[in-house]
Structure formats: C-alpha cells, structure tokens
Amino acid sequence: MKTRTDLLNHLAAKHNLKRYLEIGVQDVNQNFNNIQCELKRGVDPNQVGRPDKDGCVIIHTTSDDYFKQHSELFGNETYDLIFIDGLHTAEQVQKDFQNALKCLSTNGFIVLHDCNPLKEEHTIVPRPTERGHWNGDVYKFACELGLYFEKFNVVDIDNGCGVWNWAGMDIQKDSDGWDGTWNHFDQNRKKLLNLISWDEFIGTNPHL
Ligand SMILES: C[S@@+](CC[C@H](N)C(=O)[O-])C[C@H]1O[C@@H](n2cnc3c(N)ncnc32)[C@H](O)[C@@H]1O
C-alpha cells in the first residue's frame, strides 16, 4: 500500500526537489527520516527521535511561531517540497499553506495530509479524544483548493494526500461548489477534491 512517504519521495525524485520542510513531524522514524532530500527542516512542538543526518534541523514550536521566526532562523532559505501535517484543522492548515507559499521555491510543491477522511466521526473539531483515528477537518480546506484549482489533486492513498504546485496556479475551475455538508462531500469527493489514484498520479499527470 502506498504511503505519504512514497508520494513525497516520488515528487522529490521526479522533480529533483532537494530542500524539504515538514510541518508536524511527530516521530522522525515514521516519515521525516525516510525522505530523500539533501536538506531537511521540521517543525513540531512535540517531536521525538533524532534526525537521520547532519544538517537536518527540527524546531520545537508551533508552525505559526516557526513561520514568524523563519527568516531569523534560516535567512531567505526556501523549500522545494513542503509537507503540511501539523494541527489538522481547516483553519490552521489554511494558515500553514499561506505561510508555506512565502518560502516555497519557484518549482516547489506543497503536500497536505489527511484530505480524504472516510468517516465523519474522524473529522470532529476540536479533537474529541487524544487517541484514536483523527483526520480533523483538513478536507474542508482541500475542497476549497480542489474547487479553485483544476491542478490541485488529492491522491487517494494514506488518508488522502493533496498535491499543489505553482504550475496549477493560474487555472481556475468551473465548478458548482460545495454546500459545506459532510453528505455532499461524501457523495462528491472525487469531483470536489480532484481525487486521483496512485496510478494516475504517477502516470497521467505530467505536472505532478
Ligand atoms: C499526524 S502527526 C505528524 C506525522 C508525521 N508528519 C508523519 O508523517 O509521520 C501531527 C503532529 O503535529 C504536531 N502539531 C500539533 N499542532 C501543531 C502546530 N500548531 N504546529 C506544528 N505542529 C503541530 C503534533 O505534535 C504531532 O506530532
């Protein structure tokens, strides 16, 4: 079964993406240490484990705080691949996305995790319990991107990985919109998210 790590490494290899930023790292051994990029940065107030190589830095704070300090910490460093997987609310993900755009390189990609929740009970905000499966309501922001950009695609793996890059920036989709309800999302997710399979992602989408 393909994972977010496979998707991130596919993009990195295909587009020669060298500088990686992960928002929300948790345990480095799950994803961060398995990303094949030369330079890696991470942000997470509660991260555990040691980064796999010299030069990797993980900042122990929230994404809002990190983006405020970015230039102080890393000057005008930009990233080719930014993975947003921190606090899973639509509001926070939108902020993370907007901040990520400011330090995304000109051929850069942003990947959003948890865009395709399977059950409404996994989307309740605020998170009802510390444990158990939770996607949050990231899908609401993913729908906005999906409705607006024809070239924003959610790949149907690992809770849904949304992929955005500058190539899709100018393209506005002609769309009927979303009524904001779970049922409408559930019945129209393919169209709302521009949902594609892994095979479509690696095969037929030249911009991805
Ligand atoms: C789902 S985990 C990340 C998993 C990891 N990206 C992976 O692929 O294995 C979410 C992480 O986001 C962190 N987090 C929560 N709120 C955050 C925030 N405001 N800014 C950055 N990270 C946050 C949590 O501490 C948690 O470790």
Side-chain angles (χ1 to χ4, degrees):
M1 215 189 290
K2 295 296 178 187
T3 67
R4 59 201 181 285
T5 314
D6 295 314
L7 180 139
L8 291 160
N9 280 331
H10 170 82
L11 287 173
K14 181 168 175 186
H15 300 281
N16 196 25
L17 309 177
K18 295 188 186 310
R19 299 184 306 267
Y20 175 71
L21 170 64
E22 183 166 324
I23 305 295
V25 176
Q26 206 169 47
D27 180 347
V28 285
N29 297 311
Q30 289 172 356
N31 179 68
F32 186 87
N33 280 358
N34 301 312
I35 298 301
Q36 311 294 319
C37 285
E38 275 172 19
L39 177 149
K40 298 195 275 185
R41 309 286 186 219
V43 181
D44 193 317
N46 306 307
Q47 173 269 327
V48 294
R50 287 167 65 95
D52 56 335
K53 53 182 187 177
D54 292 346
C56 292
V57 179
I58 297 177
I59 307 294
H60 293 145
T61 189
T62 62
S63 51
D64 284 350
D65 194 41
Y66 159 78
F67 282 117
K68 272 188 212 137
Q69 298 179 56
H70 176 265
S71 51
E72 229 171 278
L73 293 165
F74 299 118
N76 55 6
E77 188 170 278
T78 59
Y79 306 100
D80 306 319
L81 182 56
I82 301 181
F83 183 37
I84 297 179
D85 192 20
L87 182 58
H88 288 55
T89 66
E91 190 187 2
Q92 186 62 49
V93 168
Q94 179 168 5
K95 272 204 254 174
D96 289 346
F97 183 84
Q98 284 163 345
N99 281 323
L101 288 177
K102 296 178 198 156
C103 55
L104 188 66
S105 66
T106 48
N107 67 335
F109 284 77
I110 296 176
V111 175
L112 306 178
H113 197 219
D114 289 278
C115 294
N116 188 27
L118 295 184
K119 294 186 178 170
E120 187 176 17
E121 69 207 56
H122 298 156
T123 67
I124 295 164
V125 172
R127 186 176 191 161
T129 54
E130 282 255 330
R131 284 161 187 256
H133 189 95
W134 187 62
N135 300 112
D137 61 356
V138 177
Y139 75 98
K140 293 178 181 171
F141 180 60
C143 282
E144 282 185 39
L145 291 179
L147 287 169
Y148 198 76
F149 299 113
E150 195 174 285
K151 289 193 173 182
F152 172 79
N153 286 104
V154 174
V155 185
D156 194 7
I157 57 160
D158 195 343
N159 298 285
C161 294
V163 184
W164 186 93
N165 79 333
W166 294 113
M169 190 60 186
D170 300 329
I171 292 158
Q172 201 172 334
K173 220 169 108 176
D174 179 24
S175 164
D176 298 335
W178 173 43
D179 74 4
T181 65
W182 170 262
N183 281 346
H184 188 227
F185 168 76
D186 197 22
Q187 283 156 24
N188 297 280
R189 57 179 73 222
K190 191 166 168 43
K191 181 176 170 198
L192 292 169
L193 297 174
N194 299 329
L195 198 62
I196 57 173
S197 68
W198 174 264
D199 288 345
E200 286 171 308
F201 169 61
I202 56 166
T204 57
N205 268 20
H207 72 288
L208 302 180

